[in-house]
Structures are given as C-alpha cells and as structure tokens.
Amino acid sequence: MTTPELTLIVAATRSMGIGFQGTMPWKGLKKEMQYFARVTTRVPTSSQTIQNAVIMGRKTWDSIPPKFRPLKNRLNIVITRSAPAHPPSSPPPADAEVRVPSVEAALRYAAEANSSSGGRVFVMGGAQIYEAALRHPSAKRVLLTSLDADFECDTVFPLDLTGDKAEGWEKKSREELQAWTGEEIEEGGQEEAGIKYEFQMWEKKY
Ligand code: FOL
C-alpha cells in the first residue's frame, strides 16, 4: 500500500487568516464554497468508481452545518483525540464519518480505502490539522483561495503564501491548476459578495 499524496485546501485572507471564533470570518462566498465542493469531490478520470477522502479536525467538522455533514460523495475522516485507538476496518455507511486519533491514522485509513484506486486525499483544516499535515512528507500541494480582503481572524494558515514566493514552494500556473482540478478558471480572478479572490495552486519543491 502506497501512501497517497496530500492536498491541503484552504481559503484565506490577505494575512492568511482562516477562522474566527470557530467559523469562517467571511460570509456569502457561495461560489467559492461550490468550488471547494467540486474540487474535493471530482475524481481523476481513471477512477470513476472511487471517492476522494477529506480529512478534517473535529472543530472543523463541528463548524460544518449539520445538513451538509458528512460532505456528500466523499469519505469524511475526522481527527479527534477521543476516537477509538483502532479505527473501523469496514467502510462507514454513506451517512457517517470515520473518526481517527491522529493525522497519521487518517492517512493510513485513507490509503487503505482509496489509494490503490487513485482517489485523492484532501486536508481541509483547521489550523492544527494543516500544521500537522504540512510536517508530513506526503504533503504535496496547497489549493489556496487567496481573498483580497482582511477580516478579523483568530486562526491563521500555518504557511505564508502571500506574494508570489514561499521558501520550498512553487506557485503553479492557472493552466496547471485547471489541469489538476478539472476546473475552468476565469482569467483575472473572481469576485463575489464584494470580495475579490484568486484560486491558486502551490506545490512543494522537494
Ligand atoms: N477551502 C476553500 N477553498 N474554501 C472553504 O470555504 C473551505 N472551508 C473549509 C476548508 N477548506 C476550504 C472548512 N469549512 C463546508 C462548510 C464549511 C467548511 C467546509 C465545507 C460545506 O458545507 N461544504 C459543502 C457545500 C455546501 C454548499 O454548497 O454550500 C460541500 O458539499 O462541500
């Protein structure tokens, strides 16, 4: 079993803020949220029978409106210290999440569930989980939605991707982002609810 590469997906303010008091600091970015849903759901063309996995921390799980939980058509893996030491060996029912005690256990579970069939593995936060994922050797890519706005935040993304350069990371072109995600991305950026933003893809160099 090969450990799958990890893609972090995040939306952040100009100063890399991602959260405030347990929720996202902004409102009304519906198309941005739909982008998140499509990108995390879409499977590479060769593996139409499998689902992608989304890995998240327990606080992020709690922040998702109950009617959207678990995120549909994706294997939802929630990291919580109160998870059983031994994760279930059978797949969860379609309407349930899997709870595991660590990022390492989440990766193992995702790998078993889908790596052989090529499903993607996304890390969707929050800050503590992004931090652990970024330290992991299989962290390969960040899909950043860079908001051209500032909101009061008490949580930041633990990697500074403001500007065009980041040590050890390479910002990919719009064409490369389109090819990887399968999205058609408008040139010149997005705007919604009075907020300009840009979809970006960063890849680790080494
Ligand atoms: N990444 C990006 N780019 N944008 C985000 O808003 C985002 N949010 C999180 C992680 N990465 C992100 C964590 N927060 C839902 C709610 C909160 C959340 C992530 C997802 C959610 O309800 N998603 C539904 C879509 C619901 C809708 O269409 O409004 C889903 O099916 O994915």
Short mmCIF file of all heavy atoms in Angstrom, two decimals, residues 1-4 106-116 121:
data_model
loop_
_atom_site.label_atom_id
_atom_site.label_comp_id
_atom_site.label_asym_id
_atom_site.label_seq_id
_atom_site.Cartn_x
_atom_site.Cartn_y
_atom_site.Cartn_z
N MET A 1 0.86 -1.20 0.00
CA MET A 1 0.00 0.00 0.00
C MET A 1 0.89 1.24 0.00
O MET A 1 1.72 1.45 0.87
CB MET A 1 -0.90 -0.01 1.23
CG MET A 1 -1.90 1.12 1.24
SD MET A 1 -2.99 1.03 2.65
CE MET A 1 -1.85 1.32 4.00
N THR A 2 0.69 2.09 -1.01
CA THR A 2 1.48 3.31 -1.09
C THR A 2 0.72 4.45 -0.42
O THR A 2 -0.50 4.53 -0.53
CB THR A 2 1.74 3.69 -2.56
OG1 THR A 2 0.48 3.95 -3.19
CG2 THR A 2 2.41 2.54 -3.30
N THR A 3 1.43 5.31 0.30
CA THR A 3 0.72 6.42 0.95
C THR A 3 0.45 7.51 -0.08
O THR A 3 1.35 7.94 -0.79
CB THR A 3 1.50 6.99 2.15
OG1 THR A 3 2.65 7.65 1.64
CG2 THR A 3 1.89 5.92 3.13
N PRO A 4 -0.80 7.93 -0.18
CA PRO A 4 -1.19 8.90 -1.19
C PRO A 4 -0.64 10.28 -0.89
O PRO A 4 -0.35 10.61 0.26
CB PRO A 4 -2.72 8.91 -1.10
CG PRO A 4 -3.03 8.47 0.29
CD PRO A 4 -1.92 7.57 0.71
N ALA A 106 -5.34 8.95 10.04
CA ALA A 106 -6.24 9.40 8.96
C ALA A 106 -5.66 9.03 7.60
O ALA A 106 -6.36 8.53 6.72
CB ALA A 106 -6.46 10.90 9.05
N LEU A 107 -4.34 9.25 7.46
CA LEU A 107 -3.67 8.92 6.19
C LEU A 107 -3.69 7.43 5.93
O LEU A 107 -3.94 6.98 4.80
CB LEU A 107 -2.22 9.39 6.23
CG LEU A 107 -2.06 10.88 6.12
CD1 LEU A 107 -0.59 11.25 6.03
CD2 LEU A 107 -2.80 11.37 4.89
N ARG A 108 -3.42 6.66 6.97
CA ARG A 108 -3.46 5.20 6.82
C ARG A 108 -4.84 4.75 6.40
O ARG A 108 -5.00 3.93 5.51
CB ARG A 108 -3.09 4.52 8.15
CG ARG A 108 -1.63 4.10 8.23
CD ARG A 108 -1.43 3.05 9.32
NE ARG A 108 -1.95 3.48 10.61
CZ ARG A 108 -1.25 4.19 11.49
NH1 ARG A 108 -0.01 4.55 11.24
NH2 ARG A 108 -1.79 4.56 12.64
N TYR A 109 -5.85 5.31 7.03
CA TYR A 109 -7.23 4.92 6.71
C TYR A 109 -7.57 5.30 5.27
O TYR A 109 -8.12 4.51 4.51
CB TYR A 109 -8.22 5.56 7.69
CG TYR A 109 -9.59 4.96 7.53
CD1 TYR A 109 -9.98 3.86 8.30
CD2 TYR A 109 -10.48 5.44 6.57
CE1 TYR A 109 -11.22 3.27 8.12
CE2 TYR A 109 -11.72 4.86 6.39
CZ TYR A 109 -12.09 3.79 7.17
OH TYR A 109 -13.32 3.20 6.98
N ALA A 110 -7.21 6.53 4.88
CA ALA A 110 -7.50 6.99 3.52
C ALA A 110 -6.77 6.12 2.50
O ALA A 110 -7.32 5.76 1.46
CB ALA A 110 -7.09 8.45 3.36
N ALA A 111 -5.53 5.78 2.81
CA ALA A 111 -4.73 4.97 1.89
C ALA A 111 -5.39 3.61 1.68
O ALA A 111 -5.52 3.14 0.55
CB ALA A 111 -3.32 4.80 2.43
N GLU A 112 -5.77 2.98 2.77
CA GLU A 112 -6.43 1.68 2.68
C GLU A 112 -7.72 1.77 1.87
O GLU A 112 -8.03 0.91 1.07
CB GLU A 112 -6.78 1.19 4.08
CG GLU A 112 -5.98 0.00 4.53
CD GLU A 112 -6.12 -0.19 6.02
OE1 GLU A 112 -7.27 -0.35 6.48
OE2 GLU A 112 -5.09 -0.15 6.72
N ALA A 113 -8.46 2.83 2.13
CA ALA A 113 -9.76 2.97 1.49
C ALA A 113 -9.64 3.27 0.01
O ALA A 113 -10.44 2.80 -0.79
CB ALA A 113 -10.58 4.06 2.19
N ASN A 114 -8.65 4.07 -0.38
CA ASN A 114 -8.72 4.54 -1.77
C ASN A 114 -7.43 4.69 -2.56
O ASN A 114 -7.50 4.97 -3.74
CB ASN A 114 -9.49 5.86 -1.82
CG ASN A 114 -8.63 7.04 -1.40
OD1 ASN A 114 -7.46 6.86 -1.06
ND2 ASN A 114 -9.18 8.22 -1.45
N SER A 115 -6.27 4.55 -1.94
CA SER A 115 -5.06 4.89 -2.69
C SER A 115 -4.83 3.95 -3.86
O SER A 115 -4.41 4.35 -4.94
CB SER A 115 -3.83 4.89 -1.81
OG SER A 115 -3.43 3.57 -1.58
N SER A 116 -5.14 2.68 -3.65
CA SER A 116 -4.90 1.71 -4.71
C SER A 116 -5.72 2.05 -5.94
O SER A 116 -5.36 1.73 -7.06
CB SER A 116 -5.24 0.31 -4.22
OG SER A 116 -6.50 0.32 -3.60
N VAL A 121 -6.67 12.62 -1.74
CA VAL A 121 -6.81 12.86 -0.30
C VAL A 121 -6.60 14.34 -0.03
O VAL A 121 -5.53 14.89 -0.32
CB VAL A 121 -5.82 12.01 0.52
CG1 VAL A 121 -6.01 12.27 2.01
CG2 VAL A 121 -5.99 10.53 0.20
#
